[in-house]
Amino acid sequence: NAGVTQTPKFRILKIGQSMTLQCTQDMNHNYMYWYRQDPGMGLKLIYYSVGAGITDKGEVPNGYNVSRSTTEDFPLRLELAAPSQTSVYFCASSYIRSDRRRGANYGYTFGSGTRLTVV
Amino acid sequence: DAKTTQPPSMDCAEGRAANLPCNHSTISGNEYVYWYRQIHSQGPQYIIHGLKNNETNEMASLIITEDRKSSTLILPHATLRDTAVYYCIVIGGGDDKIIFGKGTRLHILP
């Protein structure tokens, strides 16, 4: 099990460029999430998905788009990069509620993050 | 808004027990208390969770008060590697997205 894999780990973008942050999980989790974390701050939810074909906005969705065509993948798209999007981006996945078992290490599994700088 | 209140920072001597408090006075009957931690620049890591009974695993213990309005995460023998931001989170009610608060920054002192 690789868990949650994010690529790339680092990226520098120029203002106005676009890019896609990749996230894939191999745990057959239905729920997936994207968070951003600005320097010295807490995590903010950008978008999340409760299953393939379903996405919802989180706390800070402006400037981002997501899609969920498969259970495994949940890419995050930045269309017109701005300096305010300089941040570390974390992807996470989770079981649905009814699959949870006491004693198992369940809950959310996070990726190792993508550090994005927009200049 | 986050449903929990935690102190912004705490210190603990290495080798001693670290006791991290969390208030969740508006918790409802079907909501769980989860604890995560984030070591510098890494993704958050699951520690433990509970509903109403005390819980223990290889990382920590979770003590939940009888009225469920507060809880304490206990790291029994803190090491320097436990220096991190610790998040107490309430999850339930059919909504499985985590909204993170500011957490407690735990400093382990050598």
Side-chain angles (χ1 to χ4, degrees):
Chain A
N1 265 358
V4 177
T5 302
Q6 291 184 236
T7 57
K9 293 190 182 303
F10 303 94
R11 183 73 186 267
I12 297 175
L13 277 183
K14 293 184 178 179
I15 294 171
Q17 286 186 320
S18 61
M19 76 164 293
T20 299
L21 284 67
Q22 301 291 345
C23 176
T24 188
Q25 52 93 7
D26 62 358
M27 298 170 285
N28 201 32
H29 286 175
N30 274 11
Y31 284 39
M32 295 188 74
Y33 313 83
W34 275 105
Y35 291 87
R36 60 175 286 174
Q37 186 171 36
D38 297 340
M41 306 295 285
L43 293 100
K44 294 293 185 183
L45 181 64
I46 305 172
Y47 271 96
Y48 67 104
S49 168
V50 301
I54 305 170
T55 62
D56 281 292
K57 296 179 180 179
E59 301 172 274
V60 290
N62 291 344
Y64 306 94
N65 282 301
V66 293
S67 59
R68 185 92 183 275
S69 56
T70 67
T71 299
E72 295 78 18
D73 300 307
F74 190 41
L76 177 72
R77 177 109 180 132
L78 284 70
E79 290 293 350
L80 292 170
S84 61
Q85 293 177 304
T86 293
S87 192
V88 179
Y89 292 83
F90 291 102
C91 179
S93 70
S94 173
Y95 292 179
I96 62 173
R97 178 176 299 282
S98 62
D99 284 350
R100 291 178 173 163
R101 298 285 188 270
R102 181 155 296 284
N105 180 9
Y106 58 92
Y108 290 64
T109 300
F110 282 80
S112 57
T114 295
R115 186 174 299 273
L116 176 68
T117 303
V118 182
V119 296
Chain B
D1 289 338
K3 302 178 183 178
T4 63
T5 304
Q6 299 176 254
S9 67
M10 293 182 62
D11 293 336
C12 179
E14 189 176 17
R16 303 297 294 269
N19 295 276
L20 291 89
C22 179
N23 286 322
H24 31 80
S25 58
T26 60
I27 193 169
S28 61
N30 64 348
E31 290 182 320
Y32 287 76
V33 180
Y34 277 72
W35 283 84
Y36 285 79
R37 73 179 182 183
Q38 187 177 23
I39 297 170
H40 178 64
S41 77
Q42 298 180 19
Q45 175 191 24
Y46 164 84
I47 301 173
I48 199 167
H49 76 283
L51 184 62
K52 56 183 179 180
N53 298 321
N54 298 338
E55 301 288 344
T56 295
N57 64 18
E58 65 278 4
M59 291 181 66
S61 294
L62 174 60
I63 308 298
I64 302 175
T65 58
E66 192 168 345
D67 63 7
R68 301 212 319 129
K69 292 185 177 181
S70 65
S71 60
T72 301
L73 178 75
I74 301 172
L75 308 178
H77 303 287
T79 71
L80 295 177
R81 289 177 296 179
D82 293 319
T83 294
V85 178
Y86 288 76
Y87 297 97
C88 170
I89 300 157
V90 167
I91 305 172
D95 188 1
D96 274 326
K97 59 182 184 293
I98 292 180
I99 301 298
F100 283 85
K102 296 182 179 178
T104 296
R105 187 173 296 277
L106 178 65
H107 298 109
I108 305 300
L109 307 175

